[in-house]
Amino acid sequence: MAAHPRTAAIIPAYNEAATVPDVIGVARAAQLVDEVIVVDNRSDDDTAAVAEAAGARVIVCEQQGKGQAMRAGVAGTDAEVICFLDADLLGLTPAHVDQLVQPILTGAAGMTLGLFDRGPELNPIFLKALPRLTGQRAMRRELFEGLDLEDIRGYRVEAALNSRADDLELTIDAFVCEGLWHRTKEEKDAQGPLIGTARKVAMLATAVWSYAAYQVVRPFRRSDTTVADADRDHTAV
Ligand SMILES: Nc1nc2c(ncn2[C@@H]2O[C@H](COP(=O)(O)OP(=O)(O)OP(=O)(O)O)[C@@H](O)[C@H]2O)c(=O)[nH]1
Ligand SMILES: [Mg+2]
């Protein structure tokens, strides 16, 4: 039996067959991770097959969207500590993963955030001046389960986790993961770099807009249904 609370690494993956095996291998090699789960949305490529071959438990999520995949992953485990990792990471190490999980296990932080390494000029800006919307983050499962169901749609989930952690006055431990980067939309997009770039701009605009809109409406919105309520009642988003 694990001496610490059980920790699951949850990796949402949509068409990430090129990179997900390495991410799984690193998560499995981390000392503080007990279980590695990949949540696939019926990818067009063989993400599910390669993830299983790399030793992950694969959960198929019927509802499209990163937030929905994260929800399915949390619902699919009873681990008390969750470490979310993107499936398209390059340069991830077991030490990065343990650095995300450790402060949650000791109680030193309520949420940890691992940022990409953008170099010495940009790192302080992304760490201190911009919203930290990274996919690499660890927390106790209650933090995710307490999110409003509305807030796990698409890319809004990361802004919502940040806001909820602030509301609860949790300590947030954010750091740059040395050498960490990802396979970008330009590289992934089968239709070429131009369409990939356009998609990325659209995605960034959506994320920034979601974040801004979320901050504006949040004080006026009374929470209706949390993720935990919905899971109990089997409500779809
Ligand atoms: N299961 C599942 N995973 C998703 C979905 N959308 C995004 N993801 C995963 O969420 C992670 C982050 O998505 P990305 O598209 O890489 O987002 P990003 O890194 O912010 O954007 P890029 O700069 O273009 O890479 C990746 O592992 C994706 O495969 C989805 O609908 N379902
Ligand atoms: Mg990415």
Side-chain angles (χ1 to χ4, degrees):
M1 207 173 81
H4 54 81
R6 270 177 54 76
T7 301
I10 296 183
I11 307 171
Y14 187 65
N15 291 341
E16 306 286 12
T19 46
V20 77
D22 277 357
V23 177
I24 294 165
V26 170
R28 291 183 71 198
Q31 283 181 16
L32 301 177
V33 169
D34 302 299
E35 181 184 26
V36 179
I37 297 171
V38 166
V39 188
D40 174 48
N41 277 97
R42 303 200 184 279
S43 293
D44 303 319
D45 70 5
D46 52 357
T47 291
V50 298
E52 210 161 280
R57 177 152 71 88
V58 176
I59 293 178
V60 177
C61 176
E62 299 297 343
Q63 288 177 290
Q64 198 72 35
K66 186 182 182 190
Q68 281 80 354
M70 290 161 72
R71 175 186 173 193
V74 174
T77 178
D78 58 7
E80 292 155 66
V81 172
I82 305 293
C83 180
F84 292 110
L85 300 170
D86 285 351
D88 60 350
L89 299 177
L90 304 171
L92 182 73
T93 67
H96 293 147
V97 179
D98 285 332
Q99 200 184 344
L100 285 164
V101 174
Q102 174 94 32
I104 308 300
L105 294 178
T106 62
M111 183 164 70
T112 55
L113 304 173
L115 274 68
F116 290 143
D117 187 352
R118 296 175 165 91
E121 284 85 26
L122 289 177
N123 281 342
I125 299 173
F126 277 81
L127 201 52
K128 301 214 169 74
L130 294 174
R132 296 175 298 203
L133 299 173
T134 176
Q136 286 51 256
R137 51 179 74 218
M139 67 206 67
R140 296 190 65 86
R141 65 180 295 132
E142 299 83 51
L143 185 67
F144 185 87
E145 289 177 326
L147 291 180
D148 196 289
L149 200 56
E150 286 277 306
D151 290 341
I152 64 163
R153 292 220 176 112
Y155 286 92
R156 198 192 290 184
V157 60
E158 278 150 13
L161 279 169
N162 289 2
S163 300
R164 183 160 158 73
D166 284 343
D167 286 350
L168 296 172
E169 297 180 7
L170 300 183
T171 302
I172 298 178
D173 179 2
F175 52 88
V176 171
C177 295
E178 200 184 325
L180 185 67
W181 192 239
H182 61 159
R183 191 162 172 256
T184 58
K185 282 229 181 345
E186 295 86 322
E187 290 160 305
K188 285 181 205 172
D189 211 295
Q191 289 160 290
L194 210 64
I195 305 257
T197 306
R199 289 228 168 106
K200 178 164 185 164
V201 170
M203 202 271 303
L204 274 177
T206 310
V208 170
W209 167 248
S210 299
Y211 194 80
Y214 181 66
Q215 297 307 324
V216 173
V217 299
R218 201 163 65 92
F220 304 103
R221 203 161 54 76
R222 269 192 287 136
S223 181
D224 327 289
T225 309
T226 65
V227 170
D229 297 333
D231 284 342
R232 207 174 34 244
D233 304 340
H234 304 287
T235 313
V237 181

